[in-house]
Amino acid sequence: NAGVTQTPKFRVLKTGQSMTLLCAQDMNHEYMYWYRQDPGMGLRLIHYSVGEGTTAKGEVPDGYNVSRLKKQNFLLGLESAAPSQTSVYFCASSYSIDRGNQETQYFGPGTRLLVL
Amino acid sequence: DQQVKQNSPSLSVQEGRISILNCDYTNSMFDYFLWYKKYPAEGPTFLISISSIKDKNEDGRFTVFLNKSAKHLSLHIVPSQPGDSAVYFCAASPFGGSARQLTFGSGTQLTVLP
């Protein structure tokens, strides 16, 4: 049982390049989330998904797109990377509201992204 | 405008003593509160939570207190152990919506000195 895994662990991009961050969970969770963490700030929600094929915007969605084609995977895309997107990105998953404890989210180890 | 604030970026405590981490919030719609713990190069892990219908929740060495009138919560760790050294994030969630979104504080680095 690996929990939540993220790929890659670290990446350097040039301004304007694109990339996709992959998140996978093996806990059969319905909900998945993408956060970013910047120095001196807490985690901020980028996008989330309450089920396969559905996504919604969080607090800071601009410049990112997401897809949830399979229940266990949640992809975060940067179409044209900017230096302001330099951050540590965390994926998380949880049970649905109906199953209770939805607020208790399980996090991956993070992806460190540097945009030059 | 930060809705969840952790005003102490760092805290040092002697092993065996009590650690008290504080968190303030401004949004009256928050009704569920959590503490997460984070080690370097790892993701946050859930520690303890409390619903707004309670004012205290205890789990082993960890106790969370909620003062709704002051919009303040605190995490008490007693006794503190060196393995407790980590960054602690307070998070809050409002009632309603398809998913209860968490708003995190900026974290407090706890160092427990042996």
Side-chain angles (χ1 to χ4, degrees):
Chain A
N1 192 338
V4 179
T5 58
Q6 293 183 232
T7 309
K9 288 184 169 49
F10 176 70
R11 183 77 182 268
V12 179
L13 287 180
K14 293 182 180 178
T15 297
Q17 286 185 318
S18 63
M19 79 163 294
T20 300
L21 283 67
L22 172 63
C23 175
Q25 54 95 4
D26 61 3
M27 295 175 283
N28 203 31
H29 284 163
E30 291 84 7
Y31 292 5
M32 296 187 75
Y33 315 81
W34 275 107
Y35 292 88
R36 61 178 288 174
Q37 186 195 6
D38 301 297
M41 303 185 73
L43 284 77
R44 291 182 293 168
L45 183 64
I46 305 171
H47 286 280
Y48 65 97
S49 168
V50 299
E52 188 176 319
T54 69
T55 62
K57 294 180 180 180
E59 180 186 352
V60 288
D62 294 341
Y64 305 95
N65 56 74
V66 288
S67 64
R68 182 114 181 258
L69 299 179
K70 293 182 179 181
K71 183 177 183 179
Q72 63 268 33
N73 296 336
F74 195 28
L75 278 63
L76 177 71
L78 285 73
E79 294 174 344
S80 179
S84 60
Q85 294 178 304
T86 293
S87 188
V88 181
Y89 291 86
F90 290 100
C91 175
S93 68
S94 75
Y95 289 116
S96 67
I97 286 181
D98 295 341
R99 294 177 64 178
N101 288 328
Q102 179 255 320
E103 301 87 352
T104 304
Q105 298 176 13
Y106 297 81
F107 285 82
T111 294
R112 190 172 297 273
L113 177 65
L114 175 62
V115 182
L116 302 175
Chain B
D1 180 32
Q2 282 190 300
Q3 298 185 62
V4 178
K5 297 180 183 179
Q6 294 177 256
N7 292 317
S8 299
S10 64
L11 174 69
S12 291
V13 171
Q14 285 295 133
E15 181 179 4
R17 297 290 186 100
I18 185 171
S19 296
I20 300 177
L21 295 91
N22 294 303
C23 178
D24 297 294
Y25 63 96
T26 58
N27 189 339
S28 300
M29 298 300 291
F30 288 149
D31 73 334
Y32 199 83
F33 305 88
L34 307 92
W35 285 93
Y36 278 82
K37 174 179 177 179
K38 184 183 179 306
Y39 292 117
E42 295 183 9
T45 55
F46 170 74
L47 189 58
I48 192 169
S49 62
I50 187 167
S51 165
S52 61
I53 62 174
K54 295 184 176 181
D55 54 18
K56 175 182 175 181
N57 189 27
E58 204 169 340
D59 184 1
R61 295 186 297 114
F62 303 91
T63 303
V64 56
F65 295 92
L66 176 62
N67 182 333
K68 289 186 290 292
S69 61
K71 293 190 174 67
H72 177 84
L73 64 156
S74 60
L75 174 68
H76 292 210
I77 306 173
V78 55
S80 301
Q81 300 173 353
D84 296 330
S85 296
V87 177
Y88 289 79
F89 291 100
C90 166
S93 172
F95 177 79
S98 59
R100 292 170 62 101
Q101 297 184 31
L102 296 182
T103 299
F104 284 82
S106 55
T108 297
Q109 171 70 58
L110 172 66
T111 302
V112 180
L113 304 168

